[in-house]
Amino acid sequence: MNLQLQNIPNSTMVTEFLLELFAETWALRLLISMLFLLMYLGSLLGNLTIIMVTTIDQNLHTPMYFFLRNLSVLDICYVSVTVPKACVNSLTDNRGISVTGCAAQVFLVMFCGCVEILFLTVMAQDRYVAICQPLLYPVIMNHQFCVQMTLASLLLGLVIAGSHTVKIFQLSFCRSNLVPQFFCDIPPLLKLSCSDTFNNKLLILLTAIIVDGGCFIFISVSYVHIFSTVLGFPVKEERRKAFSTCVPHIIVVSVFLSSGVYVYLRPPVISEVVQDIILSVLYTIIPPFLNPVIYSLRNKQIKEAVRKMMLRII
């Protein structure tokens, strides 16, 4: 399909959107698509491995690995919402996506993004209790609490994603149907609208302040307490081990939040499509790809569980 519809009369209703391709030339599109597919397969392999070992190995039935398993399931869904469709579009030169399909992408991207940061916040809480209040860990981080926090995160994600999706598709799109992004997302859709988008921007701002800002403050305070406790450890090896698990978590949270907040809150200025694509990759593809490495595959218990599972298979 080679549709290049740019301007739409005010009286015409959009029935299809056109997504941006990775590049203009076929060779570059093929290269980028292969890179994205490799990252996608790596994300699937890493996260599926975590799900399997934390389910099979009885020693990993603890709160920390419960949340890791939930995060891995979420990351598989998150990366599957955008990458396969974008790669197929670029390789087949088929840029079209229906309004229903676009709405589904907006909802799922927003839902997965919200639940991701909520899960990361709960995991920071888990590390805080484990390091700063180890004697109370079994009491505070009991199974009922873990299930309740997971369900609360999912419910809040549904409410936030649903409200944003409904608001964005109440707008009229008459400027163009060419979405300057490789998937349907709220910021590029706002650029296409000829309606008043003030309420949409206000909702985005409130979500960023309450959810993202609240989670960032909670994670920051948790790690301030964690680092102050860790610095008091008498054994150097214990301090090194604690820092090695905490610092990567902070890096992923910072990259995820900063890129997402920048994309959603920056003024609607004309920018390079390549820049927008790179920024979106930072909060939609990189976290699911890196999370298995940072949180689990560097973990001795996980590696030992993987070794046992491979021996059983062999």
Side-chain angles (χ1 to χ4, degrees):
M1 183 182 295
N2 190 20
L3 299 174
Q4 294 293 334
L5 186 56
Q6 294 292 327
N7 297 311
I8 300 173
N10 288 347
S11 59
T12 305
M13 180 180 294
V14 174
T15 58
E16 184 183 48
F17 289 102
L18 302 179
L19 299 176
E20 190 67 53
L21 300 178
F22 290 144
E24 291 297 327
T25 62
W26 163 254
L28 190 54
R29 286 210 304 265
L30 178 63
L31 179 63
I32 297 175
S33 296
M34 290 300 104
L35 176 62
F36 274 42
L37 282 174
L38 285 175
M39 294 180 68
Y40 177 64
L41 292 175
S43 300
L44 291 183
L45 179 61
N47 287 294
L48 282 173
T49 301
I50 292 170
I51 294 169
M52 290 176 63
V53 298
T54 54
T55 302
I56 295 171
D57 196 320
Q58 296 293 323
N59 295 324
L60 301 183
H61 289 184
T62 62
M64 182 177 75
Y65 296 109
F66 173 82
F67 289 120
L68 280 174
R69 182 166 61 249
N70 292 341
L71 184 67
S72 293
V73 173
L74 178 71
D75 281 341
I76 289 175
C77 298
Y78 198 7
V79 77
S80 297
V81 171
T82 56
V83 175
K85 173 69 174 174
C87 291
V88 170
N89 284 1
S90 278
L91 293 176
T92 61
D93 201 24
N94 180 4
R95 310 172 69 168
I97 183 171
S98 66
V99 173
T100 303
C102 187
Q105 269 200 335
V106 169
F107 174 82
L108 290 172
V109 168
M110 177 62 72
F111 171 75
C112 292
C114 288
V115 178
E116 178 101 3
I117 189 60
L118 292 170
F119 277 0
L120 292 174
T121 304
V122 177
M123 291 169 69
Q125 161 78 3
D126 175 80
R127 290 299 83 206
Y128 164 75
V129 177
I131 293 174
C132 301
Q133 297 178 312
L135 297 179
L136 296 177
Y137 185 79
V139 178
I140 297 175
M141 302 302 295
N142 57 71
H143 182 70
Q144 183 180 359
F145 175 80
C146 294
V147 172
Q148 288 173 347
M149 293 304 296
T150 300
L151 293 177
S153 299
L154 294 173
L155 180 60
L156 184 57
L158 285 172
V159 172
I160 293 173
S163 59
H164 279 280
T165 305
V166 170
K167 289 296 294 182
I168 194 70
F169 284 95
Q170 287 177 342
L171 302 175
S172 299
F173 300 98
C174 55
R175 290 177 183 164
S176 169
N177 67 338
L178 179 58
V179 180
Q181 186 56 272
F182 67 91
F183 64 96
C184 283
D185 201 7
I186 291 175
L189 287 175
L190 288 177
K191 294 179 182 179
L192 305 183
S193 175
C194 52
S195 305
D196 183 10
T197 59
F198 174 79
N199 290 335
N200 299 80
K201 294 173 182 177
L202 179 62
L203 184 59
I204 290 173
L205 179 62
L206 291 175
T207 303
I209 292 173
I210 297 172
V211 179
D212 295 340
C215 289
F216 180 75
I217 291 172
F218 186 91
I219 292 172
S220 300
V221 171
S222 297
Y223 274 104
V224 166
H225 287 291
I226 288 172
F227 287 149
S228 62
T229 302
V230 168
L231 290 174
F233 287 175
V235 182
K236 186 177 180 180
E237 180 62 23
E238 290 182 353
R239 291 200 301 269
R240 187 200 64 78
K241 182 179 178 182
F243 279 123
S244 69
T245 57
C246 294
V247 172
H249 184 195
I250 295 174
I251 293 173
V252 168
V253 170
S254 300
V255 171
F256 178 75
L257 275 179
S258 59
S259 58
V261 168
Y262 177 76
V263 168
Y264 276 77
L265 294 185
R266 66 175 174 170
V269 297
I270 298 175
S271 58
E272 292 290 336
V273 174
V274 174
Q275 177 187 345
D276 293 339
I277 289 177
I278 292 173
L279 286 169
S280 64
V281 166
L282 291 178
Y283 69 88
T284 58
I285 300 176
I286 297 297
F289 179 73
L290 289 183
N291 281 345
V293 179
I294 289 176
Y295 296 121
S296 299
L297 299 183
R298 297 173 69 253
N299 184 295
K300 289 182 178 179
Q301 286 181 292
I302 288 285
K303 287 192 287 188
E304 179 63 23
V306 171
R307 189 185 68 82
K308 291 179 180 178
M309 187 177 68
M310 294 302 296
L311 288 175
R312 286 182 186 176
I313 295 174
I314 294 172

